[in-house]
Amino acid sequence: PVLLRSLLVLARTRRGRRSDAGGVLAGLLAESEAANSSVFLLGASPEVIYSLRDCLAAIRPGLRLAGICDGDFAGPVSAAIVTHIRRAKPNVVIVDFSTSRFEEFRRNHASCFAGASLVNLPGAFAALLETMGEPRRGRRWGAVGRLALQVRAASRFAFILLRQFARERWGFSGAR
């Protein structure tokens, strides 16, 4: 059911009907939670993705969030990010990229997620936050706040990669 819904969502967004991106995302997350499917969220700015993660943890405690990664980087998606997503083993990968960036991502990496539904909902993460009444973080401090959030996001991602390396190399499971 989640795969079918994902394909329908993808077809709808390709035709340009994005007016209710937040509502479509909310429905997809509710369906994923009901089906006990794991979800990986990729894209948006660090403040949006971390706010969304926190809100989802509070309002959808049954949702299996396999992981998150912001889309605040230049150029194509790196191999490290693809490996991080693949190791999380999500059933659904929901992406918040522009259509052209998503098409490049899909062309280059869709085969890495053979068992997962790959869905692009441009602007949906921020739209869902707005419908939940959650203000975006980091706006008060301007460039300094954005830099601090980017450093925080980069350090979290580096820690995740280090933990995965330790698991593979030494069998370290780490308390989480």
Side-chain angles (χ1 to χ4, degrees):
V2 174
L3 175 61
L4 178 59
R5 169 79 178 181
S6 300
L7 293 174
L8 292 173
V9 168
L10 181 60
R12 235 181 286 151
T13 57
R14 279 192 172 170
R15 286 195 303 261
R17 296 181 192 166
R18 297 184 195 138
S19 59
D20 188 28
V24 172
L25 176 59
L28 186 56
L29 292 171
E31 189 170 331
S32 296
E33 182 179 18
N36 199 30
S37 297
S38 61
V39 177
F40 194 99
L41 303 175
L42 171 65
S45 65
E47 61 263 14
V48 168
I49 194 80
Y50 290 120
S51 292
L52 183 59
R53 179 200 57 196
D54 296 345
C55 286
L56 289 175
I59 65 169
R60 293 209 169 277
L63 179 66
R64 289 180 45 218
L65 196 57
I68 63 169
C69 183
D70 66 71
D72 198 16
F73 50 86
V77 177
S78 72
I81 293 172
V82 172
T83 301
H84 171 62
I85 297 169
R86 193 178 67 243
R87 286 182 181 161
K89 297 180 181 170
N91 299 108
V92 182
V93 179
I94 303 174
V95 183
D96 186 346
F97 283 168
S98 67
T99 304
S100 60
R101 190 173 189 192
F102 176 73
E103 287 302 319
E104 178 186 356
F105 173 69
R106 187 183 56 77
R107 221 178 11 259
N108 296 332
H109 305 293
S111 62
C112 297
F113 313 113
S117 300
L118 191 58
V119 181
N120 188 36
L121 296 171
F125 295 175
L128 182 58
L129 274 178
E130 289 171 11
T131 63
M132 294 190 301
E134 180 69 19
R136 292 186 186 182
R137 296 181 187 167
R139 289 197 168 192
R140 224 178 346 181
W141 302 102
V144 173
R146 283 191 300 275
L147 177 63
L149 285 170
Q150 289 173 351
V151 168
R152 182 173 145 208
S155 65
R156 284 181 177 179
F157 185 63
F159 180 73
I160 289 168
L161 292 177
L162 180 63
R163 196 169 65 226
Q164 287 176 349
F165 175 76
R167 274 190 209 136
E168 288 178 3
R169 181 73 181 234
W170 300 293
F172 176 72
S173 63
R176 192 81 168 117

